[in-house]
Amino acid sequence: MRSQRSRIGLWTASLLTGLVGVVNLLSSVTPSLQARRQLLEEFFPFPVRAGGHFFAAIIGFLLLTLAANLLRRKRIAWLLTVGLLILSIVSHLVKGLDYEESILAAVLLVQLVIMRDEFTASSDRPSIAQGIRVLFGALLFTLAYGTAGFYILDEKYNINQVPINFSFHEALFQTLAMFFTADNAGLAPKTRFAEFFADSIYAVGAVTLSYALFMLLRPVLLRAVGTPKERQQAKQIVEQYGRIPLARLALLEDKSYYFSPSGKSAIAYVAKGRGAIALGDPIGPPEDQEEAIIGFQQFCDCNDWYSAFYQTLPDNLEFYKSLGFRVLQIGEEAIVNLKTFSLKGKANQNLRTAINRLTKSGHEVKFYEPPLSDELLRQMKIVSDEWLQMMQGAEKKFSVGWFNEAYLRETRAVVVYTSEGKISAFANTISSGESKLVGVDLMRRRTEVENGTMECLFASMLQHFQELGYEQFDLGLSALAGVGETEKSLRLEKVLNYLSEHLEQFYNFKGLHSFKEKFLPEWEPRYFVYPGYRSLPDVVVALIRADSGDRLLDYFKPGD
């Protein structure tokens, strides 16, 4: 758990790094004191002292870039900052014996050395390697670019008012002089194009250097999901400790896994960008859940990720808050009590009517135990494709299943057949562990179906699992239901409530909620747990990417 002292130290180091960066930039364009300059003239020639001004400027720019990355606890940012501070101390002394700036840099250097164990966040190793290659490539490319340009542009420049036709060695020297002398070694462009070319050398160097820094400081990119061995370990934990149907979705192939230090608990997550989104709470024995949460938070910190938990139960909310997380209600789960469920009574008249009407018209509901046959899956796929086309969308992932034959084959299926023997609608159900709670996952139907088909499908499911001895049936999350409806609701929850009212044309929030309400469920709140407001954009984008399987990136092609 992060201490207050640690956070204060990080903020102090970051702000001081930014301050040193600003001081470097100001110092690089400020003339040195004459007495100090005269003293240095005996030891360092003008080009060396001018180079000190250049290095002070570059170091200042880099330190400003690195300041924010120190807050991320980036190890590579710490290493770069320490190295740059040493160069900064030397450059200030060489350019004008500016010991005041050197002392400030030295104080920050000592602080960072003392705090070295705080900087544990890794960068993406392949990106680091690429960043280093880009850095050296940038230096060589800029040097080659400038040398070739000066060599080709005959008599487009004056050097100390003398027209010059660069030889290869003179072109190479002039390119170096552009960066390491204060007056560009007397270079004076004679044409607008020559002036543009001289400026472009700086632009090329700045762009390539910025890209190299970006690559060096990227968070760890997860290039592979859980291994078969990890998935098998997670499966054993889910079978023993899974309490809700959501736990079964932890075994789908888009998930990676974190295991608690004891190995008894598993967290299924998807990492996208800087966000690592866990599906629900940790799965495992209750006494191990807190260690699993702490361990996952530290694991994400080391990978430069923000840890978040999606669709958590109310059980651990206070513990999440004690770790500094924020909690946001995202909707309510519809849970039908099968011990008391009945189609009798006035409240269920519409459900009975739907079942009777479809039965009379020759419709039939059938239940299939796993493994499902290839022929059944083939027919279900036809319905699923038609449903996706009707919805003008694509498969969702992460917190729901998708039409994956390997997954569906091992689940129960409920199918509605027409009088012609064709499938008009289907659903699959999931459960985990020894729980007496079963839930629905995929719900698909054809474009044209008899009125009441889905009501008949669900009512039949509830009766079937009631007869099998299950005690509860999970109808799934009703997004934004119950969110922001009380005076005590968080401001962000009230914003979500406002959005749900005005986005009804794009997503039928109320319609889905009303459909589930027909079965008289009990409503249980579900939450999104995230580190804080600063991380919210990153974790929301990560959640959207996880849910869409990164298809949202298609909207930004080409050019992303």
Side-chain angles (χ1 to χ4, degrees):
M1 192 183 304
R2 295 177 183 173
S3 66
Q4 186 69 16
R5 174 188 286 183
S6 173
R7 287 193 289 268
I8 292 174
L10 285 171
W11 275 101
T12 303
S14 177
L15 293 173
L16 196 53
T17 300
L19 176 61
V20 172
V22 172
V23 168
N24 272 33
L25 290 173
L26 294 175
S27 180
S28 67
V29 296
T30 304
S32 303
L33 296 176
Q34 184 175 359
R36 298 182 186 180
R37 188 171 63 248
Q38 289 175 347
L39 179 63
L40 287 173
E41 286 175 354
E42 300 180 12
F43 301 96
F44 301 110
F46 173 76
V48 174
R49 288 182 281 113
H53 281 269
F54 166 78
F55 277 112
I58 293 296
I59 291 169
F61 166 75
L62 294 176
L63 288 176
L64 286 173
T65 303
L66 293 169
N69 288 281
L70 291 176
L71 276 180
R72 292 164 57 183
R73 300 173 180 263
K74 299 288 288 188
R75 188 68 178 177
I76 191 73
W78 178 85
L79 289 170
L80 290 173
T81 304
V82 167
L84 289 172
L85 288 173
I86 294 173
L87 288 176
S88 179
I89 293 170
V90 174
S91 67
H92 284 305
L93 294 175
V94 167
K95 74 181 178 65
L97 207 60
D98 298 325
Y99 59 85
E100 298 91 346
E101 290 92 329
S102 295
I103 290 174
L104 179 61
V107 169
L108 175 58
L109 178 61
V110 171
Q111 180 186 4
L112 289 177
V113 171
I114 293 173
M115 295 179 60
R116 59 188 179 276
D117 294 335
E118 294 286 340
F119 299 93
T120 56
S122 302
S123 291
D124 188 55
R125 290 195 174 187
S127 296
I128 291 176
Q130 185 177 348
I132 293 173
R133 290 195 297 268
V134 168
L135 184 59
F136 282 104
L139 296 175
L140 293 175
F141 175 77
T142 305
L143 186 61
Y145 173 79
T147 301
F150 285 124
Y151 183 72
I152 294 171
L153 294 174
D154 295 338
E155 297 187 1
K156 295 292 193 299
Y157 299 92
N158 289 328
I159 299 295
N160 296 323
Q161 299 183 350
V162 177
I164 186 168
N165 187 348
F166 288 101
S167 67
F168 176 79
H169 292 92
E170 288 170 333
L172 179 61
F173 171 80
Q174 184 59 51
T175 303
L176 293 171
M178 294 286 289
F179 288 100
F180 297 105
T181 65
D183 63 349
N184 295 336
L187 182 75
K190 294 168 61 178
T191 66
R192 291 181 64 184
F193 182 78
E195 183 177 357
F196 163 77
F197 174 74
D199 292 338
S200 72
I201 294 176
Y202 294 117
V204 169
V207 169
T208 50
L209 180 61
S210 298
Y211 178 71
L213 273 178
F214 167 76
M215 296 301 293
L216 289 171
L217 296 169
R218 287 179 89 178
V220 173
L221 302 180
L222 197 63
R223 291 174 167 82
V225 293
T227 64
K229 182 179 179 181
E230 290 173 334
R231 204 172 303 282
Q232 182 59 36
Q233 183 180 351
K235 183 178 180 181
Q236 294 174 355
I237 294 173
V238 168
E239 289 176 348
Q240 184 175 0
Y241 296 106
R243 296 169 48 197
I244 57 177
L246 194 69
R248 172 63 182 84
L249 300 178
L251 303 179
L252 292 180
E253 62 188 25
D254 62 328
K255 308 298 190 302
S256 299
Y257 301 101
Y258 168 81
F259 297 99
S260 65
S262 67
K264 296 179 181 179
S265 297
I267 293 178
Y269 70 94
V270 172
K272 299 291 183 182
R274 289 202 64 198
I277 315 300
L279 182 62
D281 298 289
I283 305 168
E287 64 273 12
D288 193 50
Q289 290 214 339
E290 293 186 358
E291 285 298 320
I293 295 170
I294 294 172
F296 183 66
Q297 183 186 40
Q298 294 172 344
F299 167 73
C300 291
D301 285 346
C302 288
N303 286 311
D304 193 25
W305 298 335
Y306 291 124
S307 54
F309 298 81
Y310 181 67
Q311 287 197 36
T312 66
L313 301 175
D315 306 24
N316 295 314
L317 293 186
E318 292 305 316
F319 184 71
Y320 284 121
K321 291 177 181 178
S322 72
L323 294 178
F325 285 101
R326 291 183 178 271
V327 174
L328 177 70
Q329 185 179 347
I330 55 173
E332 293 179 328
E333 198 87 1
I335 309 293
V336 177
N337 186 345
L338 295 180
K339 291 186 292 185
T340 59
F341 175 76
S342 173
L343 289 179
K344 297 178 181 179
K346 186 176 180 180
N348 293 314
Q349 176 63 46
N350 291 335
L351 295 178
R352 294 197 304 273
T353 301
I355 294 175
N356 292 334
R357 182 172 62 250
L358 265 71
T359 301
K360 290 179 180 178
S361 64
H363 285 67
E364 184 179 9
V365 179
K366 290 187 177 181
F367 297 85
Y368 295 92
E369 293 291 318
L372 305 185
S373 68
D374 291 340
E375 177 59 23
L376 177 60
L377 290 171
R378 186 189 68 78
Q379 295 182 44
M380 291 167 60
K381 181 70 163 56
I382 296 172
V383 177
S384 178
D385 291 343
E386 187 174 329
W387 181 84
L388 289 171
Q389 187 174 5
M390 176 181 63
M391 299 301 293
Q392 297 181 345
E395 294 280 15
K396 303 297 183 183
K397 293 190 175 183
F398 186 57
S399 61
V400 293
W402 60 95
F403 202 98
N404 178 295
E405 290 192 4
Y407 158 63
L408 288 174
R409 192 183 303 278
E410 302 305 318
T411 64
R412 290 175 167 133
V414 188
V415 179
V416 179
Y417 288 94
T418 66
S419 57
E420 292 82 18
K422 293 183 179 181
I423 298 178
S424 63
F426 75 87
N428 78 303
T429 61
I430 52 178
S431 58
S432 59
E434 300 298 323
S435 172
K436 290 294 184 180
L437 171 64
V438 63
V440 64
D441 187 19
L442 271 67
M443 299 171 283
R444 305 285 161 92
R445 67 174 178 86
R446 290 188 180 275
T447 305
E448 300 293 334
V449 296
E450 289 283 343
N451 288 336
T453 296
M454 299 307 290
E455 286 85 349
C456 177
L457 174 67
F458 273 77
S460 299
M461 277 195 295
L462 294 174
Q463 288 180 312
H464 178 76
F465 286 103
Q466 186 181 51
E467 293 170 2
L468 291 179
Y470 283 88
E471 296 177 356
Q472 294 177 305
F473 193 98
D474 189 340
L475 297 176
L477 179 72
S478 184
L480 302 184
V483 175
E485 295 180 352
T486 68
E487 292 185 1
K488 295 182 179 180
S489 298
L490 300 175
R491 183 176 300 175
L492 187 54
E493 292 176 351
K494 293 181 179 179
V495 171
L496 291 177
N497 179 272
Y498 174 83
L499 290 176
S500 70
E501 295 287 340
H502 292 79
L503 294 177
E504 193 67 23
Q505 57 180 318
F506 301 106
Y507 189 87
N508 191 13
F509 295 102
K510 292 183 178 179
L512 290 175
H513 184 77
S514 298
F515 176 81
K516 294 175 182 179
E517 188 68 58
K518 294 178 181 180
F519 304 96
L520 306 178
E522 298 172 0
W523 295 97
E524 297 182 1
R526 294 292 183 265
Y527 300 90
F528 183 47
V529 177
Y530 62 100
Y533 290 127
R534 185 165 63 93
S535 68
L536 195 56
D538 287 293
V539 295
V540 168
V541 169
L543 178 60
I544 294 172
R545 290 178 62 185
D547 177 72
S548 66
D550 266 339
R551 285 186 307 278
L552 89 159
L553 296 181
D554 294 339
Y555 294 105
F556 301 100
K557 294 179 180 179
D560 58 331

